[in-house]
Amino acid sequence: MEWNRRAMGAAVAAVVLVVGGVTWGVVGQPEDPLRGSCRGSLAVDEASGFYGGAELESRGHTAEWVGQEVEYCSVWARDEEDGAVLRLQIRPSAAHRAAGAADEAAAAPVGYGWNGSFIVRGRPEAAVLVDCAPLAGKGLLVLAEATEDAEELSRAQVLGVARLATETARRAAERFGCEGTLGRRPDTVDTTRATERPAAEARETCRGVVGPRSAEILGIATVHEYPAGALTEECDVHLRDHRMRVNAYYGPSAMQETYLDKRYPGSVDGIVTRSRSRTCPGALGAAYFKATPPKLPDGSPAPLTGPEREAVNQILASFAEASGDRHGCAEG
């Protein structure tokens, strides 16, 4: 159900890309290299660098998504018909559905002072969230991706996708009058996937989550963890015969997850602990945390004893505290 309900949102988003809205296009010329593209928000130098200085073309349009205006913009090298296309979305954080890399639990943080996520799912994708009181949801979300598998791109181009997101966010933040603190241009990107470690030696999203008592009750020896600090975080805890997923959601990611849980209540059957919310600064908003314990082969929740249920609650509480602290959130 988790995958299905997200797939529904992504499919609808794909439809939105081609329905209605205002369309514009710009051809890059030496004297005017796309400076007006993406309504003036395109990080032209980053786009040019991605294509090695080739002459570029750009096209974009606006469309309504979750009741908000979203800007879509594509850039490509004029002489490379089959080459990679850079795609951008500039949206208020209230347009939370299908928010790309911001929704991905396996993503790494963009870092360098930005609230954001970066992931390679075949294609490199980035999401950057900036505090922006004038916009609905009090945040500006910029999504960037390249339509080519990372294996076909150079390391500099993979990094270039993150830079396109951050530097476009910088220009868009000025355009919208955002007050949020902006980060630095990234020098690297983290493409680390899940790492398995003994629970007591966790260093990233599972750090400090599993205490000795919980480990004993639930038979926990190892965890799978991801780089900590992204807009969506996950810690996978290995129980005796099953796995339990613990997640944290921030900004648009939190808005989407709470929306989906209400829209598809059957998908949260068996969640042992309900959401624990904490108030986070700016566009991060109200964080959302939940633990998804194991399920039986038929999809029904695996039975838990009283002590096991208590241990799951403790794991979620520890995870929420550690993740919330990483994101500067206060106790709710």
Side-chain angles (χ1 to χ4, degrees):
M1 176 63 73
E2 179 76 15
W3 183 89
N4 287 339
R5 66 182 194 170
R6 288 185 181 275
M8 288 179 184
V12 174
V15 173
V16 171
L17 287 173
V18 296
V19 176
V22 178
T23 303
W24 66 88
V26 179
V27 178
Q29 301 294 341
E31 67 275 13
D32 182 25
L34 305 181
R35 296 298 171 184
S37 189
C38 302
R39 292 186 168 177
S41 294
L42 175 67
V44 176
D45 292 343
E46 306 302 337
S48 178
F50 182 92
Y51 293 106
E55 189 172 13
L56 305 182
E57 295 186 11
S58 175
R59 183 172 292 110
H61 72 281
T62 61
E64 186 176 291
W65 182 231
V66 196
Q68 305 296 327
E69 184 180 79
V70 175
E71 300 172 14
Y72 302 90
C73 185
S74 298
V75 183
W76 62 94
R78 171 184 281 185
D79 297 328
E80 296 182 19
E81 294 182 1
D82 298 324
V85 176
L86 292 174
R87 291 178 176 168
L88 282 161
Q89 293 183 37
I90 301 171
R91 53 164 82 176
S93 59
H96 56 83
R97 301 282 310 280
D103 297 335
E104 288 299 318
V110 169
Y112 295 90
W114 297 95
N115 281 320
S117 300
F118 182 85
I119 189 170
V120 173
R121 295 183 295 182
R123 302 173 175 183
E125 301 177 36
V128 173
L129 180 66
V130 177
D131 297 348
C132 195
L135 295 181
K138 298 184 179 180
L140 166 69
L141 180 65
V142 173
L143 308 177
E145 67 171 345
T147 63
E148 192 86 45
D149 283 355
E151 294 179 354
E152 303 299 323
L153 302 173
S154 68
R155 294 178 63 182
Q157 286 177 308
V158 173
L159 170 60
V161 173
R163 288 177 168 175
L164 181 69
T166 62
E167 303 316 297
T168 295
R170 192 184 309 280
R171 293 171 65 93
E174 180 178 0
R175 179 181 136 211
F176 286 108
C178 302
E179 76 286 358
T181 300
L182 305 179
R184 306 184 306 281
R185 183 173 182 264
D187 292 328
T188 59
V189 287
D190 188 346
T191 57
T192 304
R193 302 305 296 264
T195 302
E196 183 174 3
R197 293 190 175 98
E201 298 176 13
R203 300 198 295 266
E204 295 289 342
T205 52
C206 296
R207 182 176 182 179
V209 171
V210 181
R213 177 63 174 161
S214 296
E216 179 183 0
I217 292 173
L218 295 172
I220 299 169
T222 62
V223 295
H224 264 95
E225 60 178 353
Y226 300 88
L231 293 171
T232 300
E233 292 189 327
E234 180 167 308
C235 169
D236 292 331
V237 181
H238 296 191
L239 310 184
R240 290 185 183 89
D241 301 314
H242 303 279
R243 294 174 67 174
M244 178 176 71
R245 190 174 72 247
V246 191
N247 290 100
Y249 307 91
Y250 298 89
S253 174
M255 295 180 197
Q256 169 158 291
E257 195 65 17
T258 54
Y259 167 83
L260 290 172
D261 283 355
K262 292 176 181 178
R263 178 74 180 271
Y264 306 103
S267 68
V268 294
D269 287 346
I271 299 287
V272 173
T273 38
R274 294 188 297 273
S275 65
R276 295 169 178 261
S277 55
R278 297 177 65 167
T279 301
C280 306
L284 292 177
Y288 186 51
F289 306 95
K290 65 180 187 180
T292 305
K295 293 188 177 182
L296 299 175
D298 64 0
S300 62
L304 297 174
T305 66
E308 288 173 336
R309 189 178 298 272
E310 182 179 348
V312 171
N313 274 278
Q314 183 56 55
I315 286 173
L316 180 62
S318 297
F319 176 75
E321 181 177 4
S323 180
D325 287 347
R326 281 193 291 271
H327 291 80
C329 307
E331 290 286 354

